[in-house]
Amino acid sequence: EQKRAEDRLRRSEAHRAEAERDLQMTIDTIPIQVSSYRPDGTREFVNRAWQEYTGVSQQDAAGRSWGITVHPDDFDAGERAWRESLATGRPLRMQMRFRRAGGEYRWQLVHRVPLPDENGNVIRWYGVGSDIEDQKRAENALRKSEAYLDQAQQLSHTGSFGWNVASGDIAWSREAYQILGVDRT
């Protein structure tokens, strides 16, 4: 009976170890930066994607400030937001620039959520960061293009409108409102 109990225990421990390895492999291979933080906000863990993105090892990241890879211009706002989340226990969501391994700063969308214990006290924070630099550049290019079109219509005194027949939405350019004397509101 004791032998069977020991065998069950060994199988159970082997199964748990395999599950832990699978979880670690999943966390390390997902293409997003993952980190965990102590209740005071110091970094505890970073996954392989985070390490490859930043060029900072797990050993160098653990116990260090959350902002070791943050652009200096984004640090103060990020620090205020992080301190507020730590104080209130509310999730954090913000955009900031992170330094890549090669030294280039790129925009990231950062989410951090608390893990509370049964009494509601935060025992750990989990965070993810995803590179949104390409999205930011596309948005900037779209804004420039729209401004250029707006300026060209003003100079040529031509307006434009678009009509989505399926939804019924109609969009007018600023110059179209001006030409027709219609208040934009």
Side-chain angles (χ1 to χ4, degrees), residues 14-32 34 36 45-49 115 124 126:
H15 178 69
R16 189 183 72 222
E18 183 179 341
E20 288 175 2
R21 277 191 307 274
D22 286 349
L23 178 58
Q24 186 64 49
M25 295 264 308
T26 300
I27 292 169
D28 277 339
T29 58
I30 58 175
I32 195 164
V34 176
S36 66
F45 165 82
V46 293
N47 72 340
R48 187 178 309 142
L115 173 66
R124 182 169 286 125
Y126 292 103

Side-chain angles (χ1 to χ4, degrees), residues 20 26 29 37 41 44 62 72 80 96 98 100 134 142 144 181:
E20 288 175 2
T26 300
T29 58
Y37 302 85
E44 191 172 51
R80 280 191 303 276
M96 61 180 67
F98 276 62
R100 290 201 57 150
D134 294 339
L142 179 60
K144 285 181 180 179

